[in-house]
Amino acid sequence: MAGMGLLGKRVAFGALAAVLALGLCACKGGSDQNGAPAEAPAASSEDKAAQFADFQELMSSQADNYTYDYRETYTLDNGSWTEESVSSLTVACDDAGDVSYQHVTYLPEDSVLAGLEQYFVGEKVIEVNGEIVTDVSIEYADDLVEMDMAEFCPAGKVEYSAETLSDVAQSDDGVTYSFAFAGPEQVPDDMGMVSDVESAQVSVRFNGEGVLVQQTFDASGTANGIDEAFSVTTSGTIDFSKWGETDVPEAPEPSSVMTSTDLAATQKAAAESVAALPDNLTCVTESEVVVNGESQALVHAEVLRNGRDAVLYVETDGNEDEALLTFFQGDENMVFQGDQFVSKGEGGLPEDSTGTEQALALIDYADTGYTYDGYGLTEYAFIVDGSALPADMSFDGVESVDSITLEYWVNPDGSLYEVYMAVNGVTPDAQGGEPVVMSVTASYSDLGTTEVPSMPEA
């Protein structure tokens, strides 16, 4: 079940919600004899009103069935570092009937959501991540806004008006309407990845037949981080096609349903499932370290535990001959490697031998939590931003933590079935400072019925 949640994808939800509401281009027409843009005389208020009326008529005349390709490049800056990312997707839309249909496919170059598909059918939202199909309608309940084509702009909600119309450029290929916006009064909602928009420019281009073919946008402002506000600049292009010829695929049936976005309730439920684990159980863990996309280490471990008596088996990279088998009995232990006796001494079973303590501590730092029902199980899923972690919390082999994904899978009877944790970050500079993902999956079984072999005679 590991990795079945759609966590990590949630960080770009604001951008998607905006994409479903807007779309624009910044083409300036004309040039002087030196190749510089020609400056048209300022239009009178009457002329601008007439031009804007033409714009509204063109927008309103577009078909209700179309496809658009959206590409946005945005840069985050908090004063000490900058990061550039790309949002890239294709959207098929059909608003001709009583129910609006949209199919969103995130392209491989998308920095966050590559490979994800989303279906918007009326008020229902289905997400497809590989073979996992999830109904996430509850997450979008307050964000789906119906708009007619006259208001359409996939980058976000703007207030088109004669006052914000800044330029109209005619050419042999058609006409481009450009708009300039200042402050949240004229851009009341997010624009792409930018919230609290300080300024924005948007242009809309129609071909010679009056068909919408492209929109572009530029914006700057802030995006709210965990502990601080990041400044953001963004620019994007939306290309339209297949007017009246778009076939929107049918949404698949979901295999799980998101039932709650209440962080506190999800934290409480996950903690209760861990607290309910008995002292008698079997735990199997699979750990992997992936550096720059390549697997560097695999660890398989099994624990049979009954109170302080236990057997621990640890195998690294599939090497059974070098695997360690440790028997614990009270405060004593006996270690074997392969089939060879190694030592007998003092030291009981490690406190976090079943992998729950650290994962449980981490959910207190989560900023988002979701509950899913599916596959006969309930999932409690969390995202922890690296900036929210205390300074003294560290992970071997990770210099800085970007984010942590946590997933708890619970049986119908409330018993814990599985815990998944993935730490995303960067290796230390001495190791190349490369992207690293450390993941651990711990599965629990034979709760209250595990039989622990006795320690062999010395």
Side-chain angles (χ1 to χ4, degrees), residues 71-152:
R71 189 180 193 281
E72 175 187 3
T73 301
Y74 55 94
T75 302
L76 300 174
D77 186 346
N78 73 346
S80 60
W81 59 265
T82 60
E83 177 181 321
E84 183 175 282
S85 298
V86 173
S87 180
S88 181
L89 55 144
T90 294
V91 183
C93 306
D94 190 346
D95 298 325
D98 295 334
V99 177
S100 173
Y101 292 86
Q102 293 189 13
H103 176 226
V104 184
T105 304
Y106 290 87
L107 303 181
E109 66 173 340
D110 193 286
S111 300
V112 178
L113 302 174
L116 180 69
E117 292 182 71
Q118 293 175 311
Y119 295 80
F120 294 78
V121 183
E123 297 181 354
K124 179 172 288 190
V125 185
I126 306 298
E127 290 188 342
V128 180
N129 185 20
E131 297 180 356
I132 311 306
V133 183
T134 307
D135 184 335
V136 297
S137 305
I138 188 174
E139 186 179 17
Y140 289 76
D142 297 329
D143 296 284
L144 295 179
V145 179
E146 289 191 12
M147 299 178 64
D148 59 37
M149 180 53 70
E151 300 175 304
F152 188 77

Side-chain angles (χ1 to χ4, degrees), residues 240-293:
F240 293 83
S241 62
K242 298 182 180 179
W243 290 97
E245 300 176 355
T246 293
D247 182 19
V248 181
E250 185 176 345
E253 285 297 318
S255 49
S256 64
V257 179
M258 181 186 290
T259 59
S260 174
T261 59
D262 187 323
L263 173 60
T266 304
Q267 287 172 319
K268 182 175 182 292
E272 289 176 346
S273 69
V274 173
L277 279 175
D279 288 336
N280 178 286
L281 56 78
T282 297
C283 177
V284 178
T285 62
E286 305 289 347
S287 305
E288 183 177 21
V289 178
V290 177
V291 178
N292 205 21

Side-chain angles (χ1 to χ4, degrees), residues 134-426:
T134 307
D135 184 335
V136 297
S137 305
I138 188 174
E139 186 179 17
Y140 289 76
D142 297 329
D143 296 284
L144 295 179
V145 179
E146 289 191 12
M147 299 178 64
D148 59 37
M149 180 53 70
E151 300 175 304
F152 188 77
C153 183
K157 183 73 166 63
V158 296
E159 295 292 342
Y160 292 127
S161 67
E163 289 72 24
T164 57
L165 180 63
S166 60
D167 183 65
V168 179
Q170 297 279 355
S171 71
D172 293 339
D173 296 329
V175 58
T176 299
Y177 294 85
S178 298
F179 297 82
F181 307 92
E185 295 79 11
Q186 294 178 336
V187 188
D189 297 313
D190 297 351
M191 176 172 279
M193 289 299 293
V194 182
S195 59
D196 298 325
V197 176
E198 296 170 357
S199 64
Q201 296 76 43
V202 175
S203 295
V204 188
R205 181 163 67 88
F206 302 88
N207 65 17
E209 298 177 350
V211 177
L212 176 62
V213 292
Q214 189 182 67
Q215 301 182 344
T216 65
F217 63 92
D218 296 276
S220 62
T222 60
N224 295 322
I226 299 298
D227 298 317
E228 57 190 323
F230 293 87
S231 64
V232 186
T233 57
T234 188
S235 61
T237 301
I238 303 98
D239 294 309
F240 293 83
S241 62
K242 298 182 180 179
W243 290 97
E245 300 176 355
T246 293
D247 182 19
V248 181
E250 185 176 345
E253 285 297 318
S255 49
S256 64
V257 179
M258 181 186 290
T259 59
S260 174
T261 59
D262 187 323
L263 173 60
T266 304
Q267 287 172 319
K268 182 175 182 292
E272 289 176 346
S273 69
V274 173
L277 279 175
D279 288 336
N280 178 286
L281 56 78
T282 297
C283 177
V284 178
T285 62
E286 305 289 347
S287 305
E288 183 177 21
V289 178
V290 177
V291 178
N292 205 21
E294 295 186 3
S295 180
Q296 301 292 311
L298 293 169
V299 179
H300 170 84
E302 300 178 19
V303 178
L304 306 179
R305 172 180 142 189
N306 184 20
R308 300 193 65 198
D309 294 344
V311 175
L312 172 62
Y313 174 84
V314 180
E315 178 185 297
T316 302
D317 294 329
N319 190 345
E320 296 183 10
D321 293 337
E322 299 295 326
L324 292 175
L325 179 65
T326 306
F327 292 83
F328 296 93
Q329 187 170 308
D331 292 326
E332 294 184 329
N333 66 69
M334 182 180 291
V335 182
F336 294 83
Q337 186 167 28
D339 57 0
Q340 300 297 313
F341 171 78
V342 175
S343 65
K344 181 178 181 180
E346 296 184 353
L349 183 69
E351 289 188 9
D352 198 17
S353 60
T354 57
T356 58
E357 297 299 324
Q358 186 178 49
L360 187 58
L362 284 168
I363 66 173
D364 290 336
Y365 302 104
D367 65 322
T368 53
Y370 304 91
T371 301
Y372 301 87
D373 284 337
Y375 305 94
L377 301 169
T378 297
E379 178 194 7
Y380 305 114
F382 306 90
I383 297 175
V384 179
D385 191 282
S387 63
L389 298 175
D392 60 352
M393 182 175 287
S394 62
F395 300 86
D396 292 340
V398 182
E399 178 71 18
S400 62
V401 177
D402 294 330
S403 65
I404 299 174
T405 297
L406 298 165
E407 299 173 6
Y408 293 76
W409 293 87
V410 177
N411 291 306
D413 63 2
S415 61
L416 189 61
Y417 172 77
E418 185 175 277
V419 175
Y420 170 78
M421 178 176 71
V423 180
N424 300 272
V426 179

